[in-house]
Amino acid sequence: EVQLVESGGAQVQPGGSLRLSCATSGFLFGSYSMGWFRQAPGKYREGVAAIDADGTPSVSDSVKGRFTISQDNAKKTLYLQMNSLKPGETGMYYCAAGRVEWWQLPVPSKFGNWGRGAQVNVPS
């Protein structure tokens, strides 16, 4: 059974930094594409960053230069380093895993496995 457990969510002031972690189990880490998605209250879930099964990272234009996605294969853990956070980035951040082609990485419905999320609050 695939399990994804996010941690590291917190409240942080605008301009601050957080690192989210996603501990995984139940599958061969590195064989799936992995992604970070966020969902603000009343909004659709959107892709933030992803790593495909070849290990190539990508981030959305809205976070480029501020967020970095990485993974530690030995620890079977996915990370999202978030710097210069903005108030509009408050929301639940989810880790996802699946057999997803690179051009589909921003699409939440293409991922079959999800964690429960980590709450990030950036007050205005």
Short mmCIF file of all heavy atoms in Angstrom, two decimals, residues 8-63:
data_model
loop_
_atom_site.label_atom_id
_atom_site.label_comp_id
_atom_site.label_asym_id
_atom_site.label_seq_id
_atom_site.Cartn_x
_atom_site.Cartn_y
_atom_site.Cartn_z
N GLY A 8 5.87 19.42 8.29
CA GLY A 8 6.58 20.68 8.14
C GLY A 8 5.69 21.89 7.96
O GLY A 8 6.18 23.02 7.89
N GLY A 9 4.38 21.68 7.86
CA GLY A 9 3.48 22.81 7.72
C GLY A 9 3.48 23.67 8.98
O GLY A 9 3.66 23.17 10.09
N ALA A 10 3.28 24.96 8.80
CA ALA A 10 3.30 25.88 9.94
C ALA A 10 2.79 27.24 9.49
O ALA A 10 2.49 27.45 8.31
CB ALA A 10 4.72 26.01 10.50
N GLN A 11 2.69 28.14 10.43
CA GLN A 11 2.41 29.53 10.10
C GLN A 11 3.73 30.26 10.00
O GLN A 11 4.60 30.12 10.86
CB GLN A 11 1.52 30.18 11.17
CG GLN A 11 1.25 31.66 10.90
CD GLN A 11 0.01 32.18 11.59
OE1 GLN A 11 -1.07 31.60 11.49
NE2 GLN A 11 0.16 33.30 12.28
N VAL A 12 3.87 31.06 8.97
CA VAL A 12 5.11 31.80 8.75
C VAL A 12 4.76 33.18 8.24
O VAL A 12 3.78 33.35 7.50
CB VAL A 12 6.02 31.04 7.76
CG1 VAL A 12 5.35 30.87 6.41
CG2 VAL A 12 7.37 31.71 7.62
N GLN A 13 5.53 34.17 8.62
CA GLN A 13 5.29 35.54 8.18
C GLN A 13 5.64 35.71 6.71
O GLN A 13 6.50 34.98 6.18
CB GLN A 13 6.09 36.51 9.03
CG GLN A 13 5.63 36.61 10.48
CD GLN A 13 4.18 37.02 10.59
OE1 GLN A 13 3.75 38.03 10.02
NE2 GLN A 13 3.40 36.24 11.33
N PRO A 14 5.00 36.64 6.02
CA PRO A 14 5.37 36.91 4.62
C PRO A 14 6.87 37.15 4.48
O PRO A 14 7.48 37.84 5.30
CB PRO A 14 4.57 38.17 4.29
CG PRO A 14 3.40 38.11 5.20
CD PRO A 14 3.90 37.50 6.48
N GLY A 15 7.43 36.55 3.46
CA GLY A 15 8.86 36.63 3.26
C GLY A 15 9.64 35.53 3.93
O GLY A 15 10.85 35.39 3.69
N GLY A 16 8.97 34.73 4.75
CA GLY A 16 9.63 33.66 5.48
C GLY A 16 9.79 32.40 4.65
O GLY A 16 9.38 32.33 3.49
N SER A 17 10.38 31.38 5.28
CA SER A 17 10.67 30.12 4.61
C SER A 17 10.14 28.93 5.39
O SER A 17 10.02 28.99 6.62
CB SER A 17 12.20 29.95 4.45
OG SER A 17 12.73 30.96 3.64
N LEU A 18 9.83 27.89 4.67
CA LEU A 18 9.43 26.61 5.26
C LEU A 18 9.96 25.50 4.38
O LEU A 18 10.12 25.69 3.17
CB LEU A 18 7.91 26.47 5.33
CG LEU A 18 7.13 27.08 6.47
CD1 LEU A 18 5.64 26.85 6.25
CD2 LEU A 18 7.59 26.53 7.80
N ARG A 19 10.20 24.34 4.99
CA ARG A 19 10.52 23.16 4.21
C ARG A 19 9.51 22.07 4.55
O ARG A 19 9.39 21.66 5.71
CB ARG A 19 11.93 22.65 4.46
CG ARG A 19 12.31 21.53 3.49
CD ARG A 19 13.73 21.04 3.62
NE ARG A 19 13.89 20.10 4.72
CZ ARG A 19 14.87 19.20 4.81
NH1 ARG A 19 15.76 19.12 3.83
NH2 ARG A 19 14.96 18.41 5.86
N LEU A 20 8.79 21.64 3.55
CA LEU A 20 7.87 20.52 3.70
C LEU A 20 8.57 19.21 3.35
O LEU A 20 9.41 19.19 2.45
CB LEU A 20 6.65 20.69 2.80
CG LEU A 20 5.82 21.97 2.99
CD1 LEU A 20 4.63 21.96 2.03
CD2 LEU A 20 5.36 22.11 4.42
N SER A 21 8.19 18.16 4.05
CA SER A 21 8.71 16.83 3.77
C SER A 21 7.55 15.89 3.49
O SER A 21 6.45 16.07 4.02
CB SER A 21 9.51 16.30 4.97
OG SER A 21 10.59 17.13 5.27
N CYS A 22 7.82 14.89 2.67
CA CYS A 22 6.83 13.86 2.38
C CYS A 22 7.53 12.51 2.50
O CYS A 22 8.32 12.13 1.63
CB CYS A 22 6.26 14.04 0.98
SG CYS A 22 5.15 12.71 0.45
N ALA A 23 7.25 11.82 3.60
CA ALA A 23 7.81 10.49 3.81
C ALA A 23 6.96 9.47 3.07
O ALA A 23 5.73 9.52 3.15
CB ALA A 23 7.85 10.18 5.30
N THR A 24 7.62 8.56 2.35
CA THR A 24 6.88 7.63 1.52
C THR A 24 7.16 6.17 1.91
O THR A 24 8.21 5.86 2.48
CB THR A 24 7.23 7.81 0.04
OG1 THR A 24 8.54 7.27 -0.22
CG2 THR A 24 7.20 9.27 -0.37
N SER A 25 6.24 5.31 1.55
CA SER A 25 6.43 3.86 1.73
C SER A 25 5.47 3.14 0.81
O SER A 25 4.51 3.73 0.30
CB SER A 25 6.20 3.45 3.19
OG SER A 25 4.88 3.73 3.58
N GLY A 26 5.75 1.85 0.59
CA GLY A 26 4.82 1.02 -0.19
C GLY A 26 5.07 0.98 -1.67
O GLY A 26 4.30 0.34 -2.41
N PHE A 27 6.12 1.63 -2.14
CA PHE A 27 6.45 1.57 -3.56
C PHE A 27 7.95 1.83 -3.72
O PHE A 27 8.60 2.32 -2.79
CB PHE A 27 5.64 2.57 -4.38
CG PHE A 27 5.91 4.02 -4.09
CD1 PHE A 27 6.70 4.77 -4.95
CD2 PHE A 27 5.39 4.64 -2.96
CE1 PHE A 27 6.96 6.11 -4.69
CE2 PHE A 27 5.63 5.97 -2.69
CZ PHE A 27 6.41 6.71 -3.56
N LEU A 28 8.46 1.52 -4.88
CA LEU A 28 9.88 1.73 -5.15
C LEU A 28 10.10 3.22 -5.40
O LEU A 28 9.76 3.75 -6.48
CB LEU A 28 10.31 0.91 -6.36
CG LEU A 28 11.78 1.01 -6.75
CD1 LEU A 28 12.68 0.54 -5.61
CD2 LEU A 28 12.05 0.22 -8.03
N PHE A 29 10.66 3.88 -4.40
CA PHE A 29 10.87 5.32 -4.51
C PHE A 29 11.79 5.61 -5.68
O PHE A 29 12.83 4.99 -5.83
CB PHE A 29 11.47 5.87 -3.21
CG PHE A 29 11.48 7.36 -3.13
CD1 PHE A 29 10.34 8.07 -2.78
CD2 PHE A 29 12.64 8.07 -3.40
CE1 PHE A 29 10.35 9.45 -2.70
CE2 PHE A 29 12.66 9.45 -3.32
CZ PHE A 29 11.52 10.14 -2.97
N GLY A 30 11.39 6.58 -6.50
CA GLY A 30 12.18 6.88 -7.68
C GLY A 30 11.58 6.29 -8.94
O GLY A 30 11.94 6.69 -10.05
N SER A 31 10.66 5.35 -8.77
CA SER A 31 10.02 4.74 -9.93
C SER A 31 8.75 5.49 -10.33
O SER A 31 8.23 5.30 -11.43
CB SER A 31 9.67 3.28 -9.66
OG SER A 31 8.67 3.17 -8.66
N TYR A 32 8.26 6.33 -9.42
CA TYR A 32 7.06 7.13 -9.67
C TYR A 32 7.45 8.60 -9.85
O TYR A 32 8.43 9.07 -9.27
CB TYR A 32 6.10 7.06 -8.48
CG TYR A 32 5.25 5.83 -8.38
CD1 TYR A 32 5.42 4.75 -9.23
CD2 TYR A 32 4.25 5.75 -7.42
CE1 TYR A 32 4.63 3.61 -9.11
CE2 TYR A 32 3.44 4.62 -7.30
CZ TYR A 32 3.64 3.57 -8.15
OH TYR A 32 2.85 2.46 -8.04
N SER A 33 6.66 9.30 -10.61
CA SER A 33 6.73 10.76 -10.58
C SER A 33 6.14 11.23 -9.25
O SER A 33 5.22 10.60 -8.71
CB SER A 33 5.94 11.36 -11.73
OG SER A 33 6.50 10.99 -12.97
N MET A 34 6.70 12.32 -8.73
CA MET A 34 6.23 12.87 -7.46
C MET A 34 5.89 14.33 -7.64
O MET A 34 6.54 15.04 -8.42
CB MET A 34 7.33 12.75 -6.39
CG MET A 34 7.85 11.34 -6.14
SD MET A 34 6.68 10.32 -5.25
CE MET A 34 6.51 11.22 -3.73
N GLY A 35 4.91 14.80 -6.88
CA GLY A 35 4.53 16.20 -7.03
C GLY A 35 4.05 16.82 -5.74
O GLY A 35 3.65 16.12 -4.80
N TRP A 36 4.13 18.11 -5.69
CA TRP A 36 3.55 18.92 -4.61
C TRP A 36 2.42 19.77 -5.21
O TRP A 36 2.62 20.44 -6.24
CB TRP A 36 4.58 19.85 -3.99
CG TRP A 36 5.56 19.16 -3.08
CD1 TRP A 36 6.86 18.83 -3.37
CD2 TRP A 36 5.34 18.75 -1.73
NE1 TRP A 36 7.45 18.23 -2.28
CE2 TRP A 36 6.53 18.17 -1.26
CE3 TRP A 36 4.25 18.84 -0.86
CZ2 TRP A 36 6.66 17.66 0.04
CZ3 TRP A 36 4.37 18.32 0.42
CH2 TRP A 36 5.57 17.74 0.86
N PHE A 37 1.28 19.73 -4.55
CA PHE A 37 0.13 20.50 -4.96
C PHE A 37 -0.36 21.31 -3.76
O PHE A 37 -0.16 20.93 -2.62
CB PHE A 37 -1.00 19.58 -5.44
CG PHE A 37 -0.66 18.83 -6.70
CD1 PHE A 37 0.13 17.68 -6.66
CD2 PHE A 37 -1.10 19.26 -7.93
CE1 PHE A 37 0.47 17.00 -7.81
CE2 PHE A 37 -0.79 18.59 -9.10
CZ PHE A 37 0.00 17.45 -9.03
N ARG A 38 -1.03 22.41 -4.04
CA ARG A 38 -1.61 23.17 -2.94
C ARG A 38 -3.06 23.53 -3.28
O ARG A 38 -3.43 23.66 -4.44
CB ARG A 38 -0.81 24.45 -2.64
CG ARG A 38 -0.85 25.50 -3.72
CD ARG A 38 0.06 26.66 -3.38
NE ARG A 38 0.14 27.63 -4.45
CZ ARG A 38 1.09 28.53 -4.55
NH1 ARG A 38 2.06 28.59 -3.63
NH2 ARG A 38 1.10 29.40 -5.55
N GLN A 39 -3.82 23.70 -2.22
CA GLN A 39 -5.22 24.05 -2.38
C GLN A 39 -5.59 25.11 -1.36
O GLN A 39 -5.56 24.83 -0.14
CB GLN A 39 -6.12 22.83 -2.25
CG GLN A 39 -7.56 23.09 -2.59
CD GLN A 39 -8.34 21.80 -2.82
OE1 GLN A 39 -7.92 20.72 -2.44
NE2 GLN A 39 -9.49 21.92 -3.46
N ALA A 40 -5.91 26.28 -1.85
CA ALA A 40 -6.36 27.36 -0.97
C ALA A 40 -7.85 27.19 -0.73
O ALA A 40 -8.55 26.58 -1.54
CB ALA A 40 -6.07 28.70 -1.62
N PRO A 41 -8.37 27.75 0.35
CA PRO A 41 -9.81 27.62 0.64
C PRO A 41 -10.64 28.13 -0.53
O PRO A 41 -10.43 29.24 -1.03
CB PRO A 41 -9.98 28.51 1.88
CG PRO A 41 -8.65 28.49 2.54
CD PRO A 41 -7.65 28.45 1.43
N GLY A 42 -11.57 27.31 -0.98
CA GLY A 42 -12.47 27.71 -2.05
C GLY A 42 -11.87 27.69 -3.44
O GLY A 42 -12.50 28.14 -4.39
N LYS A 43 -10.67 27.15 -3.56
CA LYS A 43 -10.01 27.13 -4.87
C LYS A 43 -9.66 25.70 -5.28
O LYS A 43 -9.67 24.78 -4.48
CB LYS A 43 -8.76 28.00 -4.84
CG LYS A 43 -9.04 29.48 -4.64
CD LYS A 43 -7.80 30.32 -4.83
CE LYS A 43 -8.11 31.80 -4.71
NZ LYS A 43 -6.90 32.64 -4.92
N TYR A 44 -9.35 25.55 -6.57
CA TYR A 44 -8.95 24.25 -7.07
C TYR A 44 -7.54 23.92 -6.61
O TYR A 44 -6.74 24.78 -6.31
CB TYR A 44 -8.99 24.23 -8.60
CG TYR A 44 -10.38 24.32 -9.18
CD1 TYR A 44 -10.83 25.50 -9.78
CD2 TYR A 44 -11.26 23.24 -9.12
CE1 TYR A 44 -12.10 25.59 -10.32
CE2 TYR A 44 -12.53 23.32 -9.66
CZ TYR A 44 -12.95 24.50 -10.25
OH TYR A 44 -14.22 24.58 -10.77
N ARG A 45 -7.27 22.61 -6.58
CA ARG A 45 -5.93 22.17 -6.27
C ARG A 45 -5.03 22.46 -7.47
O ARG A 45 -5.40 22.19 -8.61
CB ARG A 45 -5.94 20.67 -5.97
CG ARG A 45 -4.70 20.13 -5.35
CD ARG A 45 -4.91 18.71 -4.84
NE ARG A 45 -5.92 18.66 -3.78
CZ ARG A 45 -6.18 17.58 -3.05
NH1 ARG A 45 -5.50 16.45 -3.27
NH2 ARG A 45 -7.11 17.60 -2.11
N GLU A 46 -3.84 23.02 -7.21
CA GLU A 46 -2.95 23.40 -8.30
C GLU A 46 -1.57 22.81 -8.08
O GLU A 46 -1.11 22.67 -6.95
CB GLU A 46 -2.86 24.92 -8.42
CG GLU A 46 -2.29 25.61 -7.19
CD GLU A 46 -2.02 27.09 -7.42
OE1 GLU A 46 -1.97 27.53 -8.58
OE2 GLU A 46 -1.86 27.80 -6.40
N GLY A 47 -0.91 22.51 -9.17
CA GLY A 47 0.44 21.99 -9.09
C GLY A 47 1.43 23.08 -8.74
O GLY A 47 1.36 24.18 -9.27
N VAL A 48 2.36 22.77 -7.86
CA VAL A 48 3.39 23.70 -7.43
C VAL A 48 4.75 23.27 -7.97
O VAL A 48 5.49 24.08 -8.53
CB VAL A 48 3.43 23.79 -5.90
CG1 VAL A 48 4.59 24.66 -5.43
CG2 VAL A 48 2.12 24.32 -5.35
N ALA A 49 5.08 22.00 -7.79
CA ALA A 49 6.38 21.49 -8.23
C ALA A 49 6.28 19.98 -8.41
O ALA A 49 5.41 19.34 -7.81
CB ALA A 49 7.46 21.83 -7.21
N ALA A 50 7.18 19.43 -9.21
CA ALA A 50 7.15 17.99 -9.45
C ALA A 50 8.53 17.49 -9.84
O ALA A 50 9.39 18.27 -10.28
CB ALA A 50 6.14 17.66 -10.55
N ILE A 51 8.71 16.22 -9.67
CA ILE A 51 9.90 15.52 -10.16
C ILE A 51 9.42 14.30 -10.93
O ILE A 51 8.64 13.50 -10.38
CB ILE A 51 10.81 15.06 -9.00
CG1 ILE A 51 11.47 16.27 -8.32
CG2 ILE A 51 11.90 14.14 -9.52
CD1 ILE A 51 12.42 15.90 -7.21
N ASP A 52 9.86 14.15 -12.19
CA ASP A 52 9.41 12.98 -12.93
C ASP A 52 10.26 11.77 -12.56
O ASP A 52 11.20 11.87 -11.77
CB ASP A 52 9.41 13.25 -14.44
CG ASP A 52 10.80 13.43 -15.03
OD1 ASP A 52 11.80 13.08 -14.36
OD2 ASP A 52 10.90 13.94 -16.16
N ALA A 53 9.91 10.63 -13.10
CA ALA A 53 10.56 9.38 -12.72
C ALA A 53 12.03 9.35 -13.12
O ALA A 53 12.80 8.53 -12.61
CB ALA A 53 9.82 8.20 -13.32
N ASP A 54 12.43 10.23 -14.02
CA ASP A 54 13.84 10.33 -14.39
C ASP A 54 14.60 11.26 -13.45
O ASP A 54 15.82 11.43 -13.61
CB ASP A 54 13.98 10.86 -15.82
CG ASP A 54 13.48 9.86 -16.85
OD1 ASP A 54 13.57 8.65 -16.57
OD2 ASP A 54 13.00 10.29 -17.92
N GLY A 55 13.89 11.89 -12.52
CA GLY A 55 14.53 12.79 -11.56
C GLY A 55 14.62 14.22 -12.01
O GLY A 55 15.29 15.04 -11.36
N THR A 56 13.93 14.57 -13.07
CA THR A 56 13.96 15.94 -13.57
C THR A 56 12.94 16.78 -12.81
O THR A 56 11.75 16.48 -12.84
CB THR A 56 13.65 15.99 -15.07
OG1 THR A 56 14.61 15.19 -15.77
CG2 THR A 56 13.72 17.42 -15.58
N PRO A 57 13.38 17.86 -12.14
CA PRO A 57 12.45 18.69 -11.38
C PRO A 57 11.83 19.78 -12.25
O PRO A 57 12.39 20.20 -13.25
CB PRO A 57 13.34 19.31 -10.31
CG PRO A 57 14.67 19.44 -10.97
CD PRO A 57 14.77 18.28 -11.92
N SER A 58 10.68 20.24 -11.81
CA SER A 58 10.03 21.38 -12.45
C SER A 58 9.19 22.10 -11.41
O SER A 58 8.75 21.50 -10.44
CB SER A 58 9.15 20.93 -13.62
OG SER A 58 8.15 20.02 -13.18
N VAL A 59 9.01 23.39 -11.59
CA VAL A 59 8.17 24.19 -10.69
C VAL A 59 7.26 25.06 -11.54
O VAL A 59 7.56 25.38 -12.68
CB VAL A 59 9.00 25.06 -9.73
CG1 VAL A 59 9.85 24.20 -8.80
CG2 VAL A 59 9.88 26.03 -10.50
N SER A 60 6.15 25.47 -10.94
CA SER A 60 5.23 26.33 -11.65
C SER A 60 5.83 27.73 -11.78
O SER A 60 6.71 28.12 -11.00
CB SER A 60 3.89 26.40 -10.92
OG SER A 60 4.03 27.09 -9.69
N ASP A 61 5.36 28.48 -12.76
CA ASP A 61 5.89 29.82 -12.99
C ASP A 61 5.69 30.72 -11.77
O ASP A 61 6.52 31.59 -11.49
CB ASP A 61 5.22 30.44 -14.21
CG ASP A 61 5.68 29.81 -15.51
OD1 ASP A 61 6.73 29.14 -15.50
OD2 ASP A 61 4.99 29.99 -16.53
N SER A 62 4.61 30.50 -11.03
CA SER A 62 4.29 31.38 -9.91
C SER A 62 5.28 31.24 -8.75
O SER A 62 5.36 32.13 -7.90
CB SER A 62 2.88 31.11 -9.42
OG SER A 62 2.77 29.80 -8.90
N VAL A 63 6.01 30.13 -8.69
CA VAL A 63 6.94 29.92 -7.57
C VAL A 63 8.38 29.81 -8.03
O VAL A 63 9.28 29.61 -7.21
CB VAL A 63 6.55 28.66 -6.75
CG1 VAL A 63 5.12 28.75 -6.28
CG2 VAL A 63 6.79 27.39 -7.55
#
